[in-house]
Amino acid sequence: MTKTQRILAAFALAGAAAGLAAPAATAAPVAPLTLPDLPTAAPGMPEGAAPSSVQELGGRLNGGLNELNQLMEVPNQLQPVIAPVQPLTDLLGGLE
């Protein structure tokens, strides 16, 4: 048996094993997803410091992502300010 034939036989056996394992994997019942318990506030912590529900936690996360998205848009908002001096900065960059 040549090296190529051995490689092809190995792939065929691996494919057959995967084909036999696939029906067994799909027959297993799916466990329901459970959310972890929310952390409780430490003693002396302000009232609103710890989230009281998953929805509140998601809202805070979305708020942070919105702020990050606004930060990513700052260069686009500065383009009208930069455009008038762009030719000068290009000339200065070429003089180095």
Side-chain angles (χ1 to χ4, degrees):
M1 185 180 259
T2 66
K3 185 176 182 181
T4 305
Q5 289 173 336
R6 285 190 298 232
I7 291 172
L8 290 174
F11 278 125
L13 286 173
L20 292 174
T26 57
V30 178
L33 292 175
T34 58
L35 296 173
D37 293 334
L38 291 172
T40 57
M45 209 176 211
E47 181 68 28
S52 60
S53 68
V54 174
Q55 288 80 11
E56 182 182 350
L57 187 62
R60 287 185 184 182
L61 183 61
N62 281 337
L65 290 174
N66 287 338
E67 289 177 13
L68 180 62
N69 191 24
Q70 289 174 358
L71 185 61
M72 297 296 286
E73 291 294 321
V74 167
N76 296 336
Q77 295 170 355
L78 290 177
Q79 188 61 32
V81 176
I82 296 172
V85 294
Q86 184 71 39
L88 293 174
T89 58
D90 289 344
L91 283 174
L92 292 175
L95 293 177
E96 288 182 13

